[in-house]
Amino acid sequence: MALRTVPPATVGARPRRSRGVRNPARWAHVPLGLTALVLLFPFYWTVVMATNTNADFYRRPPEVVPGTHLLDNVSSVLTSLNFFGSMANTFIVAASVTVLVLFFDSMAAFAFAKYEFPGKRFLFALMMLFFMLPAQLSTVPQFITMSELGWVGTLQALIVPAAANAFGIFWMRQYIASAIPDEILDAATVDGCGFFRQYLLVVLPVIRPGLAFLGIYTFVAAWNDYVWPLIVLVNPDMLTLQVALSQLNTTRGTDYAVVMAGALMAIVPLVVVFLLFSKQFVADSVKGAVR
Amino acid sequence: MSSAGVDRGFRRVSAKPPVRAGAPRGRLRFWPQYVAVSPFFLLFALFGLFPVGFSAWLAFHRWDGLSPVTFAGLEQFRFLAADPTFRKAVVNTIVIWVLSTVPMLVMSLAIAALLNSVRRFKTFYQVVLFLPSVTSIVAIAIFFKAIFNNRVGLVNQVLEGIGLPAVEWLNGWWTIKIVLALLMTWQWVGYNAIIYFAGMQAIPGEVYEAAKLDGAGPLRAFWSITVPMLRPVILFTVIISTITGLQTFTEPQVLFGTNAAVNPNSGGPGQAGLTMVLYFYQQAFNYNNYGYGAAIAYGVLAIVGVFALVNWRLVARSEK
């Protein structure tokens, strides 16, 4: 399952506290804590494997605490593949896609949320239909299009098709519809603000929390994207991190210490970003489209 | 989702868009709106609509990307209907989907209910629940490959440690599917729990108060209030899980990518991890059977469509 196709909690939950209704059940911390342990365990074990030697992996019983061989493993990763190059590629793609998606999606969402224009319902329905179509339907022709454009093996083959998406427009539309009161827009119109000035001066400042959420979400999805980069990035010097990692898995598949060090290096930047913004992320996904 | 207060229609839109004096009349005055939505629709035309149509055309032709295109008519669909490998892939995909989605969504619901009942550490739990879904599938698949290693994997060491026989996880028809299902469950169970939790937060407390006055215990309240009121959210997660679960690709591709005995995209021993989309990828991009690949893609679309529809009917019917 790719994160890209799974929208976050846009259930539009309007958080309403219901204190004193459900008694806070303390025993619930036991199953919740166990769940947390199970979910966190792979991160811990990845660190264990990445910091020990491959021989430790094959030992019985296995090493259960982090070791001291992280740097050896990391340098093996760096000699096996162009890690920092891949990371730079991934960052360029994810950052460009995020900026473009935020701009295009929020602007389209503003038009869909607050304006009537001929064909609006049809266009919106068409967009939602596209959202439902499986990606494989367009994979082969997209690859052919890319080779006609001469974009095979280039980063714009990853950036341009992802520069606007139906999910983001749908989600931002919900957000703008409820976050921007019509009265403000009416007042702006009276003051002589047209569509684009309303977007820049009124809408953008108000929807910053929504943009933050969509931005993190888009960045994560682009960072972790795998299938399309695997197909279109035929040049071994121009890989993204996920493809590079899968190649490390293929070529060094038996050296678990090195492969897990690579996996660790690929997820740490993202986990750090997530933890930095997690408050925003969690709060916004729970609040959904309603502020 | 309507019960959760989402503006689904267009009711907030001002009935009459204000028009400035001197602004152009007719359709022309809507140009800013058309400009605003045009980036998506331009990309949509080039990378969405055109490819889908082109795929349809390809499905009726044979093409390897180099030789001249030849017309095949319905031949590829006929071949698809009789293709034993595609059948294998369909069965694999459905078994993996059932093994992962059903337990996962039940667990998500339970976790969400538990989370809704506690007062402390809520944010901590939410961060932990979200964490797997922002982790790369490739890294996680490699991790599962390591701990389910047939000989020295952690899981087998633990099994042997408590006196049970080791299992050749990545060799058996069922065990391969179980590992894939566990992987997908681990990655998405918390994510779905957060979605359910968000839905639960939207249920007004008064409903529970009334139920309590009527003598309903917490379990009764869960079945009679929480689950029915979450139905739109549950429907949403079931549909999304179906669409994405039936398109599983990365997990088996990475898990068995080193199994080059037949083909790197064979889906592992006995092709037990060969999913529909992995088969599509193998045909289209390993063997350059673009036409047949397109036919498979339409087969996947048909199957996903049928399943989404059945889900929809099932969940919608339970409403009555």
Side-chain angles (χ1 to χ4, degrees), chain A residues 11-273:
Chain A
V11 285
R14 191 168 289 169
R16 210 178 296 178
R17 286 294 143 108
S18 46
R19 287 223 177 84
V21 178
R22 281 152 282 177
N23 294 328
R26 287 186 185 194
W27 59 265
H29 284 294
V30 177
L32 283 174
L34 283 174
T35 306
L37 278 182
V38 170
L39 293 184
L40 288 176
F41 175 74
F43 296 101
Y44 174 74
W45 201 251
T46 302
V47 171
V48 169
M49 285 193 279
T51 53
N52 285 298
T53 65
N54 195 43
D56 291 326
F57 175 80
Y58 286 99
R59 234 176 51 202
R60 287 166 187 264
E63 193 58 71
V64 293
V65 290
T68 55
H69 292 88
L70 180 64
L71 289 182
D72 302 339
N73 296 329
V74 168
S75 70
S76 297
V77 172
L78 296 182
T79 53
S80 301
L81 48 91
N82 180 9
F83 184 84
F84 291 110
S86 306
M87 197 167 206
N89 286 340
T90 313
F91 184 80
I92 291 167
V93 170
S96 317
V97 167
T98 304
V99 170
L100 291 171
V101 160
L102 288 183
F103 178 60
F104 290 148
D105 282 9
S106 63
M107 198 164 63
F110 176 47
F112 277 128
K114 293 292 181 183
Y115 275 85
E116 284 296 346
F117 50 93
K120 172 168 123 168
R121 275 154 203 267
F122 170 75
L123 290 176
F124 197 76
L126 193 67
M127 187 184 84
M128 293 314 288
L129 183 76
F130 181 54
F131 181 41
M132 312 268 170
L133 286 177
Q136 309 86 255
L137 274 188
S138 43
T139 313
V140 171
Q142 242 187 66
F143 182 76
I144 295 166
T145 308
M146 289 304 165
S147 67
E148 290 296 318
L149 289 170
W151 285 5
V152 170
T154 67
L155 295 185
Q156 63 259 39
L158 303 182
I159 297 169
V160 175
N165 64 64
F167 162 69
I169 297 176
F170 174 74
W171 192 80
M172 281 316 284
R173 197 200 78 86
Q174 306 286 97
Y175 193 91
I176 290 173
S178 56
I180 313 260
D182 289 345
E183 293 77 31
I184 298 185
L185 296 174
D186 292 342
T189 310
V190 170
D191 288 346
C193 279
F195 179 85
F196 292 107
R197 280 178 67 188
Q198 286 181 9
Y199 170 71
L200 283 176
L201 302 175
V202 180
V203 177
L204 272 187
V206 176
I207 61 171
R208 285 226 306 254
L211 288 176
F213 176 75
L214 183 63
I216 299 167
Y217 176 81
T218 308
F219 191 87
V220 167
W223 185 279
N224 284 334
D225 195 15
Y226 177 65
V227 186
W228 181 237
L230 180 71
I231 291 169
V232 89
L233 292 182
V234 288
N235 184 346
D237 308 326
M238 283 295 283
L239 304 180
T240 58
L241 211 45
Q242 306 309 324
V243 183
L245 189 58
S246 77
Q247 298 208 338
L248 187 70
N249 175 44
T250 311
T251 52
R252 309 274 305 237
T254 46
D255 195 338
Y256 279 99
V258 173
V259 175
M260 294 318 289
L264 191 63
M265 289 157 73
I267 60 172
V268 159
L270 210 52
V271 167
V272 169
V273 168

Side-chain angles (χ1 to χ4, degrees), chain B residues 50-316:
Chain B
F50 163 71
V52 168
F54 193 57
S55 262
W57 180 85
L58 264 180
F60 293 99
H61 291 78
R62 255 186 304 264
W63 191 34
D64 62 3
L66 297 169
S67 337
V69 182
T70 53
F71 183 73
L74 283 169
E75 199 186 305
Q76 286 181 134
F77 287 105
R78 226 174 280 138
F79 185 74
L80 183 72
D83 184 354
T85 315
F86 183 66
R87 252 176 231 178
K88 211 185 260 186
V90 172
V91 171
N92 287 343
T93 311
I94 293 173
V95 171
I96 294 165
W97 170 71
V98 170
L99 283 179
S100 60
T101 305
V102 177
M104 174 179 75
L105 292 184
V106 171
M107 278 191 281
S108 298
L109 203 54
I111 293 169
L114 291 168
L115 187 60
N116 204 26
S117 73
V118 298
R119 198 167 281 169
R120 306 185 68 191
F121 305 118
K122 266 196 163 89
T123 310
F124 165 76
Y125 289 132
Q126 287 181 54
V127 170
V128 173
L129 287 168
F130 244 123
L131 206 50
S133 67
V134 301
T135 312
S136 104
I137 302 179
V138 178
I140 289 307
I142 293 174
F143 172 82
F144 271 72
K145 194 182 129 194
I147 64 164
F148 282 99
N149 183 291
N150 290 333
R151 287 175 299 131
V152 292
L154 180 70
V155 176
N156 274 343
Q157 294 218 24
V158 169
L159 284 180
E160 286 172 343
I162 57 174
L164 292 170
V167 178
E168 296 232 327
W169 292 103
L170 301 182
N171 272 344
W173 193 89
W174 277 105
T175 52
I176 283 176
K177 293 176 174 63
I178 290 170
V179 170
L180 287 168
L182 283 173
L183 197 167
M184 287 149 79
T185 303
W186 179 83
Q187 188 157 32
W188 298 107
V189 68
Y191 181 84
N192 285 296
I194 297 281
I195 295 185
Y196 290 150
F197 173 66
M200 286 176 187
Q201 297 260 294
I203 301 175
E206 298 88 66
V207 184
Y208 289 101
E209 268 168 64
K212 206 174 184 186
L213 285 177
D214 290 344
L219 268 181
R220 180 70 204 270
F222 179 76
W223 281 118
S224 306
I225 299 172
T226 313
V227 173
M229 293 198 73
L230 276 183
R231 189 172 300 108
V233 186
I234 293 174
L235 177 67
F236 171 81
T237 57
V238 169
I239 299 275
I240 293 292
S241 304
T242 305
I243 293 175
T244 54
L246 292 179
Q247 296 184 46
T248 302
F249 167 82
T250 309
E251 293 89 346
Q253 207 268 349
V254 174
L255 216 48
F256 302 108
T258 41
N259 179 289
V262 190
N263 176 291
N265 299 305
S266 64
Q271 296 186 310
L274 183 73
T275 59
M276 297 189 290
V277 176
L278 189 54
Y279 186 50
F280 156 80
Y281 179 87
Q282 186 198 73
Q283 288 298 320
F285 293 102
N286 291 136
Y287 302 146
N288 293 332
N289 286 333
Y290 288 152
Y292 191 51
I296 296 175
Y298 270 94
V300 174
L301 173 67
I303 291 169
V304 170
V306 167
F307 267 77
L309 206 67
V310 169
N311 275 325
W312 186 287
R313 294 293 295 267
L314 278 180
V315 182

